[in-house]
Amino acid sequence: MSVTQTAARPIGRPAQNFLSRPKHLFINGRWQPAVSGKTLEVQDPATGDTIAHVSAGDRADVDLAVKAAREALENGPWSRITPSERGKIIWRIGDLISQHADELAQIESLDNGKPFAVARFGDVALAADMFQYMAGWATKKHGTTIPISVIYQQGAKFHSYTVPEPVGVVGQIIPWNFPLLMAAWKLAPALAMGCTIVLKPAEETPLSALRLGELLAEAGLPPGVANIITGNGETAGAALAAHPGVDKIAFTGSTEVGRSIVRAAAGDMKRVSLELGGKSPNIVLADADLEAAIPGAANAIFFNHGQACAAGSRLYADRRVFDQVAEGVARYAEKIKLGSGLDPNTEMGPLVSQAQHERVCGYLESGRQEGARALVGGEALPGPGYFVRPTVLVDTQPSMKVVREEVFGPVVTVMPFDGLDEDIVKQANESIYGLAAGIWTRDISKAHLLASRLKAGSVWINCYGVFDAALPFGGYKQSGWGREMGEAVLANYTEIKAVTIQLA
Ligand code: NAI
Ligand code: MG
C-alpha cells in the first residue's frame, strides 16, 4: 500500500473563488476581521501546505457576536418572525447547500482530507437533509394543554398549558471530523426553535462553515441570527463557553474539553448539551453472515479514517469465527487506497492534522509496547501529509490503552469471546463511553436481547453507522449529555413554560 502519487483532481472555479476571497468573522450579517487583526493558517492535511488564512477570533469578537445574537433574539426580526417563515428560510438553506454541493464537498475534502465522494454524498447531502428535516419542526413543535387535579379552594378551576420557548442565545462549538455536517446538526434545530447562535468551527477545518455563512445570508436569515467566529478552542471557544450573555452551550468534541465546558458553564448555570467521545463495541456472533459482517466491521472503523465518535473501534468476534473475522478485516484494510481526498482513486485520506497524526501514532506505539500484534498496518506513512495505515490489532487485553481509550484513527482491536451472552455483554459495556454499538447475527432474538443489554445511545444490527436526520443520536455515560437530531434534539434548544389560569 502506498499513497497514490497521481495528481489530485483540480477543484472547480466556485471553490477556487471561495478560497481566494478573504475569510473574516460573520457578525451581525457582516464579514469583519478579528478585533486583534490576527489570523490562523488553514492546512491541506494531504500535503501540509497552507491553503487559506482565517480570522483568529477571540474574546472581543465573541462579545460582539453574542451582543448581535442577543439583539436579534430580543428585538430583531427573529423575535417577530412566524414559525412558517422561519421554516421556509431553514428549508432554503438546505436547498442552497444542495445547489452548491460540489463546491462545498471540494472545500471539505481539501480542508479535512476526506475523499470528495464521501464529502459530496455523505457530509454535504446529510447537511442539506438536516436543514430540511428541521425546517418542518419550526411549525410542528408545540405545547400541550394539561388537566390538573390540585385543589386550592372549593370550586377553583384551572386551565393549564405549556409553551416551548427558544432557550435563547446559543453558543455552538463543533469539531473537525464532519465540519459542515456538525454545523448543520447544531444550527438547524436551534434555528427551528427560534434561538440565535454564535457558532465556533474547529480551528483545523473552518472553511465550509464560512461558505455556509454566505449561504445563510443568501437564504434570507436576518443579521445577527447566526454568527460565525473562527478561532482557537482555548481562546474563542473558552470565551464563548464562559460568556454571561450565552444561555446555552452545545458542544461536540473531546470528553476532556466537554468537562472544561461544564466547568465554564457552572458559574451561571448555562444549559449544556455534549456529544463526546466513544469506544464503541461491534459484536460478531458465530451465526452472523460473515460476507456482510466483515466489510461492515471494516467500514465501521475505517470510515472517515476512524475519525468518527461512533467508530466501531472495539471489534468482538465469537471465538469460532474469530480468525475468519480478524483476517477478513485485515485483508480489507490492506486493499484500501490512501491518497489526497481530491484524487478520485482515493478510498482513505490523511488524518486531519499533525497533532492527530502524532496522537494516533502514539497509540500504535503504546499498543506495540503492551503486546498487541498488528495483522496489518501499525505504522504511519512517510510524509508529506498525515497518513496512517489502516491497522488491525490482535492479542490485545482489556487493560490496554489502545482498547480502553478513544484513538480517533484507523485502528481497530479484535478480541474473541466465548459465545456466553453475559461474557460479551460485560466486555462490550466495559467502557467509560456509551455512544454506539453494532451486532451482527442471523438470530433475531439474540439481536434484540443484546440490543437491550448494551449501554449505548445507538445500536446497529446487521449494519453500522446508519445516520438519519430523524434518528436521535447521543451517548450514555461519558459520551455526553442529550441527543442530536430527530425530535429529541429540540429539547436542547427549548425551555418549557407551564402557564396556569384560574377560571373560577
Ligand atoms: P477538541 O475537543 O479540543 O476540539 C473540538 C472543538 O472544541 C474545537 O472547535 C475546538 O476549538 C474546541 N475547543 C478546544 N478547547 C476548548 C476549550 N477549552 N473551550 C472551548 N472550546 C474548546 O478536540 P481535538 O483536540 O481536536 O481532538 C482530540 C480528541 O478529541 C480526538 O483525538 C478525539 O478523540 C476527540 N474528538 C472527538 C470528537 C467527536 O466527534 N466526539 C470530535 C473531535 C475530537
Ligand atoms: Mg483539543
Side-chain angles (χ1 to χ4, degrees):
M1 182 187 351
S2 65
V3 178
T4 47
Q5 295 298 327
T6 55
R9 179 167 43 197
I11 63 168
R13 187 155 305 278
Q16 278 179 31
N17 285 346
F18 169 74
L19 287 173
S20 65
R21 291 200 284 279
K23 284 165 194 61
H24 294 321
L25 310 173
F26 188 52
I27 301 176
N28 210 13
R30 284 189 298 274
W31 294 93
Q32 54 193 71
V35 171
S36 69
K38 287 187 186 152
T39 60
L40 294 175
E41 273 184 19
V42 183
Q43 279 187 2
D44 171 358
T47 59
D49 295 344
T50 298
I51 49 171
H53 289 84
V54 297
S55 295
D58 200 342
R59 184 176 304 275
D61 309 287
V62 166
D63 207 42
L64 293 173
V66 171
K67 283 203 179 83
R70 176 62 60 192
E71 182 61 22
L73 179 80
E74 312 273 353
N75 306 314
W78 207 236
S79 61
R80 293 185 297 272
I81 193 169
T82 65
S84 167
E85 285 172 304
R86 206 161 66 213
K88 282 179 191 151
I89 293 173
I90 300 169
W91 182 273
R92 271 203 296 278
I93 298 168
D95 259 351
L96 285 169
I97 291 174
S98 299
Q99 280 168 33
H100 296 277
D102 281 348
E103 178 193 354
L104 285 163
Q106 285 167 356
I107 293 168
E108 202 75 315
S109 173
L110 188 62
D111 198 4
N112 165 280
K114 67 179 69 195
F116 168 79
V118 172
R120 173 70 181 75
F121 301 102
D123 301 59
V124 175
L126 288 172
D129 206 43
M130 187 69 190
F131 280 101
Q132 297 193 323
Y133 170 83
M134 285 298 163
W137 277 116
T139 46
K140 285 155 203 78
K141 176 73 176 167
H142 52 64
T144 49
T145 57
I146 301 177
I148 63 171
S149 309
V150 70
I151 300 170
Y152 256 86
Q153 60 197 87
Q154 217 43 38
K157 279 195 163 188
F158 297 99
H159 172 57
S160 295
Y161 60 92
T162 60
V163 193
E165 294 186 348
V167 72
V169 173
V170 180
Q172 302 186 321
I173 301 173
I174 55 171
W176 42 260
N177 51 346
F178 300 93
L180 182 75
L181 184 58
M182 291 302 102
W185 279 23
K186 293 281 185 277
L187 290 170
L191 292 173
M193 293 299 97
C195 298
T196 59
I197 297 142
V198 178
L199 175 79
K200 197 207 80 68
E203 49 271 50
E204 293 83 356
T205 55
L207 299 182
S208 57
L210 295 177
R211 184 67 185 100
L212 177 63
E214 297 175 344
L215 299 181
L216 297 178
E218 200 176 324
L221 198 69
V225 174
N227 306 273
I228 302 172
I229 302 288
T230 50
N232 282 313
E234 295 74 14
T235 51
L240 190 58
H243 200 291
V246 171
D247 299 299
K248 187 236 156 67
I249 291 282
F251 172 75
T252 298
S254 62
T255 297
E256 184 196 345
V257 173
R259 261 187 215 102
S260 80
I261 297 227
V262 169
R263 280 193 292 269
D268 51 6
M269 294 289 172
K270 281 185 185 62
R271 281 80 186 104
V272 176
S273 54
L274 304 167
E275 203 263 276
L276 307 174
K279 189 73 183 177
S280 298
N282 194 11
I283 304 167
V284 182
L285 302 191
D287 68 11
D289 172 5
L290 295 187
E291 280 185 25
I294 289 169
N299 277 313
I301 181 65
F302 299 130
F303 173 69
N304 218 41
H305 329 161
Q307 301 169 132
C309 47
S313 50
R314 287 184 291 146
L315 179 57
Y316 293 97
D318 185 298
R319 203 176 293 279
R320 287 167 285 179
V321 294
F322 177 83
D323 288 343
Q324 245 178 302
V325 169
E327 274 152 30
V329 174
R331 272 198 303 278
Y332 188 103
E334 218 158 30
K335 295 197 186 111
I336 294 174
K337 289 198 193 69
L338 275 78
S340 155
L342 290 168
D343 183 329
N345 297 310
T346 292
E347 291 165 347
M348 186 188 282
L351 299 186
V352 75
S353 65
Q354 188 171 356
Q356 280 306 115
H357 189 257
E358 281 167 12
R359 212 182 129 93
V360 172
C361 290
Y363 277 110
L364 291 175
E365 182 52 34
S366 121
R368 214 171 0 255
Q369 279 177 13
E370 292 191 289
R373 177 167 59 92
L375 283 184
V376 65
E379 63 195 6
L381 288 176
Y386 309 126
F387 294 91
V388 170
R389 294 181 63 188
T391 297
V392 176
L393 297 178
V394 293
D395 298 346
T396 58
Q397 296 299 325
S399 59
M400 290 180 180
K401 262 177 69 147
V402 78
V403 176
R404 288 197 333 268
E405 297 180 15
E406 180 174 58
V407 174
F408 229 61
V411 181
V412 65
T413 59
V414 199
M415 289 151 289
F417 63 93
D418 282 311
L420 299 170
D421 287 351
E422 286 313 311
D423 175 42
I424 185 54
V425 167
K426 186 168 166 289
Q427 284 199 64
N429 285 335
E430 202 172 289
S431 173
I432 60 165
Y433 298 114
L435 196 54
I439 301 167
W440 300 83
T441 178
R442 288 187 167 105
D443 183 326
I444 193 167
S445 301
K446 278 190 185 147
H448 282 298
L449 276 173
L450 253 183
S452 74
R453 303 289 309 278
L454 295 173
K455 294 198 168 23
S458 296
V459 178
W460 290 296
I461 299 169
N462 294 334
C463 59
Y464 200 94
V466 176
F467 287 90
D468 189 279
L471 270 179
F473 175 74
Y476 286 37
K477 300 192 260 182
Q478 294 185 37
S479 289
W481 289 350
R483 293 292 180 269
E484 306 283 325
M485 300 199 286
E487 185 178 0
V489 72
L490 306 180
N492 291 350
Y493 298 108
T494 45
E495 291 281 7
I496 303 290
K497 180 175 283 174
V499 180
T500 297
I501 312 166
Q502 180 159 351
L503 299 176

